[in-house]
């Protein structure tokens, strides 16, 4: 990083935030350099875990939460809940005295109550709800897990209690309600916007009850929050929280080195030595519940044939990818789940041990293979383009013809939801936002997720679906683990994807900042952060 580029970064930062505002942030707040800007301020509508990390836990609360230390469920908006003996009814009792944000564009006249919970979930469940229609029913997380299809009824029992009635038991239900997507919105704010014929602003000018409230932004450059003095857990120590949107890792590093940022998301592996050389900078490293993988389009030749999938899976040199892309910041994936998961099963054998019939291989090599790449640096894959080239070289060296196509997420999403999808291979990955394996398996491999465009292998297996439903139907952990082991064995045998790596989650920050909580499922909490 030369003097000119560092100076340029400093000038740009001052121009974007303004000199006075920059001084205020340094004295009274924190600046977090992150890679992804949200497309909406409503996490219910988001599909990127990196994007909701900028909004969800800062602006909103949820019915229940996951304790970042113990990973156990604890109360959120609901301070208590009951589950019926048959596992079909979940009754939630709401805390009293939870205040919504007061901003320049909205002043609440009441505290959070059951009406707000009803609105937050009815907009997802009811196809005739104005907000469902406004969003075209596109709630990626909830649609992928089949949330609405298993809710028989949502009932307001009183101003301080609601009840979900399910069609079948779901052991992952509470974990899903604790996800970053399941936020509680203000029904009073929605009513005000509806009366003004501006309901669309609900998801763009946010009102929540979280520890910070929205102030302003410059799109794709920065987002500014102020602390919520009346937050039910107590006001955060820092007055301001600014998210500096910086997709390029080298520029995030420059801003951290020059003091323009206090915290940097996901430094690149080759930047760690620079960070370690600076006494005032610390690096946080955690095992991540993520996986990068190569998805085979199982609905299209040649990879509709499992023998070809196994052959190609055996050609990819994972160790070379690890050494070239991740250095020491990832582990080779020996299964689809991270070893940090309580349902992890080590893959018992490698695909390259399968003996394939030669004519099928030769036929597959006669036609070019389209390898599509999500060309955005993610925590699970910091250099997707380089990874794709390594995979391409492995296949070309064995006689396959491979064309690489780079796509950003928004373009890729449009293609994935088209009636016909023309890629053969897709280099992507996944980071989960809760500890329940159902979150990963249902969104990545279920038949419903094919239609939603998140089952990237387009693989649909009836036996898998039965085991997946059986895993969530049982409240006993031993039964669930047994079913998830069987699920992983099916995936190993049928090879809809080739797991590549499990990456570490890394952040770097100035040693003057204390009290940061690193969420094991992604994102950072600044509720208790302070500068010393």
């Amino acid at each position: 990083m030369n003097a000119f580029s560092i100076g340029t970064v400093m000038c740009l930062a001052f121009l974007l935030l303004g000199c006075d505002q920059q001084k205020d942030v340094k004295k009274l707040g924190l600046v977090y350099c992150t890679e992804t800007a949200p497309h909406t301020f409503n996490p219910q509508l988001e599909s990127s875990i990196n994007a909701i990390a900028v909004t969800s836990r800062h602006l909103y609360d949820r019915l229940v939460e996951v304790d970042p230390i113990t990973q156990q469920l604890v109360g959120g908006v609901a301070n208590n809940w009951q589950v019926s003996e048959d596992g079909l009814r979940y009754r939630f009792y709401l805390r009293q005295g939870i205040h919504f944000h007061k901003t320049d564009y909205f002043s609440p006249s009441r505290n959070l109550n059951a009406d707000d919970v009803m609105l937050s979930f009815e907009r997802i469940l009811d196809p005739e709800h104005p907000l469902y229609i406004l969003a075209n029913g596109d709630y990626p997380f909830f649609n992928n897990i089949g949330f609405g299809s298993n809710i028989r009824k949502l009932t307001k029992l009183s101003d301080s209690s609601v009840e979900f009635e399910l069609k079948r038991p779901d052991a992952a239900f509470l974990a899903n309600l604790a996800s970053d997507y399941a936020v509680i919105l203000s029904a009073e704010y929605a009513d005000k916007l509806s009366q003004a014929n501006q309901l669309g602003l609900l998801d763009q000018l946010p009102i929540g009850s979280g520890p910070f409230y929205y102030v302003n932004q410059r799109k794709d450059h920065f987002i500014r929050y102020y602390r919520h003095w009346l937050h039910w857990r107590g006001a955060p120590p820092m007055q301001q929280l600014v998210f500096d949107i910086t997709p390029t890792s080298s520029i995030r590093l420059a801003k951290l080195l020059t003091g323009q940022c206090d915290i940097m998301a996901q430094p690149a592996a080759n930047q760690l030595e620079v960070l370690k050389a600076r006494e005032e900078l610390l690096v946080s490293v955690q095992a991540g519940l993520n996986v990068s993988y190569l998805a085979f389009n199982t609905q299209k030749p040649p990879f509709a044939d499992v023998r070809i999938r196994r052959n190609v899976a055996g050609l990819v040199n994972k160790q070379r990818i690890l050494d070239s892309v991740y250095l020491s910041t990832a582990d080779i994936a020996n299964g689809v789940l991270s070893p940090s998961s309580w349902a992890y099963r080590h893959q018992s054998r490698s695909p390259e041990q399968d003996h394939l019939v030669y004519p099928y291989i030769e036929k597959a090599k006669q036609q070019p293979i389209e390898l599509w790449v999500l060309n955005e640096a993610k925590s699970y894959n910091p250099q997707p383009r380089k990874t794709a080239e390594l995979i391409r070289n492995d296949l070309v060296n064995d006689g396959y013809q491979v064309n690489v196509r780079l796509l950003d997420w928004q373009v890729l999403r449009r293609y994935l939801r088209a009636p016909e999808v023309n890629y053969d291979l897709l280099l992507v990955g996944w980071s989960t936002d809760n500890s329940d394996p159902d979150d990963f398996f249902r969104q990545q491999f279920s038949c419903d997720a094919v239609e939603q465009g998140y089952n990237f292998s387009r693989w649909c297996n009836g036996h898998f679906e039965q085991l997946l439903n059986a895993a969530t139907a049982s409240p006993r952990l031993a039964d669930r683990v047994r079913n998830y082991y069987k699920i992983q064995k099916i995936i190993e045998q049928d090879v809809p994807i080739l797991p590549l790596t499990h990456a570490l989650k890394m952040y770097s920050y100035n040693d003057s900042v204390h009290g940061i909580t690193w969420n094991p499922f992604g994102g950072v909490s600044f509720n208790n952060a302070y500068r010393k």
Side-chain angles (χ1 to χ4, degrees), residues 47 293 295 297 299 372 374 407-423 425-428 444 449-458:
S47 58
Y293 63 81
N297 187 344
Q299 294 187 1
W372 288 11
L374 175 57
L407 299 162
D408 66 34
W409 176 240
Q410 293 305 312
V411 174
L412 179 59
R413 282 288 296 127
R414 290 198 296 271
Y415 283 128
L416 291 174
R417 301 187 74 173
E420 293 186 11
V421 181
N422 293 321
Y423 64 84
L425 301 171
L426 178 59
L427 180 62
V428 285
Q444 297 293 282
V450 175
E451 182 180 350
Q452 297 297 327
Y454 288 93
N455 181 337
F456 303 122
S457 65
R458 305 182 70 77

Side-chain angles (χ1 to χ4, degrees), residues 45 123 127 129-139 143 417:
L45 305 174
R123 68 171 294 174
H129 195 284
L131 287 168
Y132 183 101
I133 296 170
L134 194 64
N136 294 317
D138 189 12
Y139 298 96
N143 292 347
R417 301 187 74 173

Side-chain angles (χ1 to χ4, degrees), residues 143-354:
N143 292 347
N144 287 343
I145 64 173
F147 183 81
S149 64
N150 194 34
I151 305 294
R152 186 181 304 279
K153 187 167 56 173
L154 173 60
T155 305
K156 174 184 174 181
L157 302 177
S158 70
D159 282 345
S160 60
S161 60
V162 298
E163 183 177 271
F164 291 83
E165 182 181 350
L166 310 187
K167 296 176 182 178
R168 61 182 183 276
D170 182 1
F173 184 68
L174 287 173
N176 291 331
L177 291 184
S179 77
D180 283 353
Y181 302 95
V183 297
I184 305 301
L185 310 172
S186 167
E188 183 185 12
Y189 180 45
D191 288 342
K192 176 189 173 183
L193 292 174
S194 181
Q195 292 169 14
N197 199 28
Q198 295 179 319
L199 197 54
L201 292 180
L202 183 71
D203 302 325
Q204 299 302 325
L205 286 176
I207 292 292
S209 60
F212 294 91
Y213 68 88
Y214 172 84
V215 177
N216 57 29
Q217 70 166 323
R218 180 173 176 185
K219 188 170 176 58
D220 295 327
H221 289 287
F222 73 87
I223 300 169
R224 186 190 307 277
Y225 301 147
Y226 281 175
R227 66 179 159 199
H228 179 29
W229 281 103
L230 299 177
H231 190 246
W232 59 276
R233 282 196 173 106
M238 302 307 296
Q239 178 177 302
Q240 295 188 48
L241 176 59
V242 174
F243 288 87
D244 185 316
I245 311 301
T246 311
T248 305
S249 179
S250 60
I251 300 179
R252 291 200 301 276
L253 175 64
K255 290 182 177 181
L256 183 67
L257 295 176
T258 57
Q260 303 305 305
C261 291
D262 299 296
I263 306 102
M264 170 190 178
Q266 209 58 35
N270 59 10
Q271 296 171 346
L272 294 181
E273 291 303 317
V274 176
L275 294 169
K276 290 177 182 177
R278 298 288 290 261
E279 292 184 0
E280 77 279 13
L281 298 179
L282 302 175
V283 178
S284 170
V285 180
Q286 293 180 318
L289 287 170
N290 62 58
V291 61
S292 68
Y293 63 81
L294 185 67
F296 300 97
N297 187 344
T298 61
Q299 294 187 1
K300 179 177 180 289
F303 296 114
D305 188 335
V306 68
R307 294 168 296 184
I308 308 302
R309 299 200 294 269
R310 288 175 181 158
N311 176 255
V312 167
L315 296 174
V316 176
N317 190 327
K318 296 183 186 181
Q319 186 63 52
R320 185 178 293 120
I321 293 173
L322 188 70
D323 295 340
S324 301
V325 175
Y326 297 89
L327 303 181
S328 60
T329 64
D331 295 312
I332 288 176
N334 292 310
V336 292
L337 289 181
S338 165
S340 304
S341 172
W342 52 261
Y344 170 73
R345 177 184 184 274
H346 186 89
Q347 186 165 317
S348 57
R349 62 188 178 86
S350 180
E352 60 261 32
Q353 295 175 326
D354 292 299

Side-chain angles (χ1 to χ4, degrees), residues 11 25-26 38 50 70 147 162 275 294 302 319 338 360 382 385 397 424 433 489 500:
C11 290
V25 172
K26 293 303 293 181
N50 289 340
T70 66
F147 183 81
V162 298
L275 294 169
L294 185 67
Q319 186 63 52
S338 165
Y360 293 96
R385 183 172 187 168
N397 288 341
D424 300 298
D433 84 320
K489 190 170 184 179
L500 299 172

